[in-house]
Amino acid sequence: MSERYSRQELFTPIGVEGQKKINEKHVLILGAGALGSANAEALVRAGVGKVTLIDRDYVDWSNLQRQQLYTEKDATDRLPKAIAAKQRLTEINSEVEVEAIVADASVVELERLLKHVSVIIDATDNFDTRLIINDLSQKHGIPWIYGACVGSYGISYTILPGDTPCLHCLLERVPMGGMTCDTVGIISPAVGMVVAYQVAEVLKILVDDQKHIRRKLVTFDLWTNQSTSISVEKLKRPGCLSCGEHPTYPFLSYENQLKTAVLCGRDTVQIRPQEGVSRDLAQIESSLKATGGKVERNPFLLSFDTGSHRLVIFQDGRVLIHGTKDIAEAKGIYHRYLG
């Protein structure tokens, strides 16, 4: 067992002392899909003391192409991703404490989990959750690593509270109608590249190597052979409500979170995003047609039939998801098709 981390300890920036620090740290990973499962495996192999995984979904056959911890049996059994991941991770390294939580990543749930966490990894599929992570990171002074990928494209950025611009600085508002894996697909090398950026940054943070932490936002497209590294330091805003001089952490408030309601007697969940959001129905129509589902649009709304569910999308941002009364399931469908 003494040889387990020997090659990592031979790497001078980590060494024996750095390995001891890694063994004592706790990493929280939000999402156990492609990015989450790969991040978790890399960090468990690296000997992080504790890894907490939170995910609301179960293993599906479409996941197996890129989500490396899972097997055909997991998909057949529809095992929750967090549970399947924990089983595999424990087999990889029984020395690491793995906490698996099958739940939606709500503000209340995340606040409870943050005690003694050293760094947060973003492996989610939506900006609603990312902006909650961002505000919690600023509020509690915990670094987090943003990461996302779709198609052959990927992006990553390291956010250090009190130092770098936060995600709210960069976005200012939640982007709506983005591409997702379910609308444009994804190739596994894009996942691996984002994970490489994220895990490297996490290890730097865990061993306190502040000077080598990447301060730029990186993007790439592996298919078209493009790569960029963008300096964003000047985008830090003194008046930012998440990280500025007088923060109010707006995305922790109810008003700036997705609102959900089960419609009485209709087997339908309504989801309403934050105030002031409008939808480009023509753009959404173009994106959804690529999935093979039935799409119909009039000047007021768009209807999208997946076969098992039907989404009705209004210009004011509201979405009705027909065919379920389960709010968690409805939110998963919402993020799958609308980003």
Side-chain angles (χ1 to χ4, degrees):
M1 298 292 281
S2 61
E3 293 295 306
R4 181 187 282 269
Y5 309 114
S6 60
R7 301 304 185 269
Q8 194 160 276
E9 291 171 349
L10 285 171
F11 180 62
T12 302
I14 293 179
V16 174
E17 291 305 311
Q19 187 62 48
K20 289 180 180 177
K21 292 179 180 180
I22 291 171
N23 294 151
E24 296 169 352
K25 299 297 175 60
H26 179 190
V27 177
L28 172 62
I29 303 176
L30 274 79
L35 293 180
S37 59
N39 268 285
E41 179 172 345
L43 293 173
V44 163
R45 290 187 184 278
V48 170
K50 180 178 180 179
V51 172
T52 296
L53 271 169
I54 179 169
D55 191 282
R56 66 188 173 201
D57 205 358
Y58 59 86
V59 181
D60 181 80
W61 284 90
S62 66
N63 302 148
L64 301 182
Q65 164 254 352
R66 66 197 179 281
Q67 299 184 17
Q68 63 189 50
L69 286 180
Y70 309 125
T71 67
E72 291 183 352
K73 189 176 188 306
D74 296 330
T76 299
D77 295 343
R78 295 185 178 179
L79 204 62
K81 289 182 180 179
I83 302 302
K86 179 177 179 176
Q87 291 178 357
R88 176 64 176 143
L89 293 170
T90 302
E91 292 174 350
I92 290 170
N93 191 345
S94 60
E95 296 178 352
V96 174
E97 180 184 354
V98 179
E99 180 182 20
I101 300 172
V102 182
D104 200 11
S106 66
V107 172
V108 174
E109 182 70 18
L110 292 177
E111 287 266 22
R112 182 184 69 81
L113 294 173
L114 287 178
K115 189 175 183 180
H116 305 308
V117 164
S118 302
V119 60
I120 304 167
I121 297 178
D122 164 35
T124 65
D125 60 2
N126 66 90
F127 277 95
D128 182 61
T129 304
R130 287 186 178 113
L131 286 167
I132 290 173
I133 297 171
N134 186 70
D135 274 9
L136 288 172
S137 162
Q138 300 300 322
K139 180 179 177 181
H140 296 279
I142 302 171
W144 74 284
I145 318 297
Y146 164 56
C149 50
V150 66
S152 55
Y153 170 86
I155 184 171
S156 181
Y157 176 56
T158 302
I159 297 172
L160 305 173
D163 187 351
T164 65
C166 76
L167 189 64
H168 193 186
C169 286
L170 304 188
L171 301 179
E172 294 195 21
R173 64 184 294 273
V174 182
M176 303 301 293
M179 297 182 296
T180 77
C181 297
D182 287 85
T183 58
V184 302
I186 186 169
I187 57 173
S188 61
V191 176
M193 183 68 79
V194 173
V195 170
Y197 280 119
Q198 288 185 301
V199 173
E201 292 301 291
V202 169
L203 291 176
K204 294 173 195 176
I205 291 170
L206 297 184
V207 301
D208 302 317
D209 189 355
Q210 297 294 320
K211 73 175 182 177
H212 286 115
I213 293 175
R214 175 173 37 83
R215 303 304 178 102
K216 295 184 177 182
L217 183 148
V218 295
T219 69
F220 62 83
D221 191 318
L222 294 176
W223 205 261
T224 59
N225 306 308
Q226 297 177 349
S227 177
T228 61
S229 183
I230 306 167
S231 176
V232 294
E233 291 182 8
K234 293 182 179 179
L235 297 181
K236 187 171 177 61
R237 298 183 294 121
C240 175
L241 296 179
S242 295
C243 74
E245 295 168 351
H246 304 288
T248 61
Y249 313 117
F251 296 99
L252 302 186
S253 66
Y254 176 78
E255 290 74 17
N256 284 318
Q257 298 170 31
L258 289 180
K259 318 300 188 304
T260 58
V262 179
L263 301 190
C264 182
R266 293 186 59 188
D267 197 27
T268 297
V269 174
Q270 175 180 270
I271 296 181
R272 181 187 292 275
Q274 68 179 88
E275 298 298 327
V277 169
S278 62
R279 297 279 189 182
D280 184 337
L281 297 182
Q283 181 185 29
I284 295 173
E285 179 183 23
S286 176
S287 176
L288 292 178
K289 279 184 175 179
T291 68
K294 183 180 179 182
V295 182
E296 298 177 328
R297 178 166 67 93
N298 64 34
F300 311 102
L301 58 83
L302 181 149
S303 174
F304 173 56
D305 194 335
T306 70
S308 54
H309 299 89
R310 185 164 62 91
L311 285 70
V312 177
I313 304 159
F314 297 85
Q315 284 185 328
D316 66 358
R318 287 182 304 113
V319 179
L320 298 181
I321 299 178
H322 299 283
T324 183
K325 295 179 181 177
D326 186 318
I327 288 176
E329 180 184 25
K331 289 174 71 175
I333 295 167
Y334 175 93
H335 291 308
R336 183 182 307 153
Y337 292 108
L338 298 176

